[in-house]
Amino acid sequence: MKKFLCALAFTATLSVSAMANANSQTGCGLGTLVITQPNTAILYALQATTNATSGNQTFGITSGTLNCRKAVFVMNERVQEFVASNMDALHKEISIGRGENLDTLVELLEVQDKETFKTNLQENYIAIYNNSSADMATTLDNIHTL
């Protein structure tokens, strides 16, 4: 019991300190909790790799833990996972109004008029990505607002 309480206290301390230092470059997950202040490209890469390979990012996105914020607009978990995993590609493809990842997003969202939707996203690119630290939840909330 004593070990469990110590582990719980350690995890809570780590979680609170990591929340203050979360970054938007590598997403959310265990990597952002373990490597709280990456200051080199190697540490950023290790943080992103830990987030992606340990299988915890999906849990964090759906539960709103591990420095992940749930979208206000609740939608299918596959959409949230897809957007979180493809933020950079979607950012680029929404700006030009076409691309494989954008097509996949439109399919996952089950949009009927796909071309109009993609054009609408492109025309509202600045509203969707209104700041440099846009994360998955903010991006989905902004897309929903349109």
Side-chain angles (χ1 to χ4, degrees):
M1 183 68 175
K2 193 174 189 179
K3 287 182 181 180
F4 175 74
L5 291 175
C6 287
L8 185 63
F10 175 74
T11 303
T13 303
L14 188 61
S15 297
V16 170
S17 66
M19 290 252 186
N21 298 320
N23 77 67
S24 63
Q25 295 179 351
T26 58
C28 60
L30 185 61
T32 58
L33 294 176
V34 174
I35 304 169
T36 58
Q37 295 180 346
N39 54 6
T40 66
I42 292 171
L43 289 177
Y44 278 114
L46 184 60
Q47 189 180 53
T49 303
T50 304
N51 287 344
T53 60
S54 61
N56 61 64
Q57 196 169 37
T58 304
F59 172 76
I61 291 168
T62 56
S63 66
T65 59
L66 299 174
N67 288 338
C68 299
R69 187 175 70 84
K70 290 181 81 168
V72 174
F73 172 58
V74 178
M75 59 180 60
N76 129 11
E77 291 177 21
R78 290 179 59 203
V79 173
Q80 292 179 353
E81 292 171 20
F82 178 78
V83 171
S85 299
N86 297 288
M87 284 292 293
D88 292 335
L90 282 170
H91 193 279
K92 178 182 175 185
E93 291 177 10
I94 288 174
S95 72
I96 60 175
R98 67 185 186 305
E100 185 177 314
N101 291 297
L102 182 55
D103 290 341
T104 303
L105 176 63
V106 171
E107 287 296 323
L108 289 172
L109 290 174
E110 300 175 359
V111 174
Q112 298 301 318
D113 188 357
K114 295 170 179 37
E115 293 307 314
T116 302
F117 184 75
K118 289 191 282 188
T119 301
N120 190 26
L121 289 179
Q122 182 183 17
E123 290 172 354
N124 292 290
Y125 171 80
I126 292 174
I128 295 169
Y129 296 101
N130 56 10
N131 65 43
S132 62
S133 63
D135 60 354
M136 176 275 303
T138 304
T139 301
L140 285 173
D141 289 344
N142 291 342
I143 288 173
H144 177 257
T145 302
L146 299 174

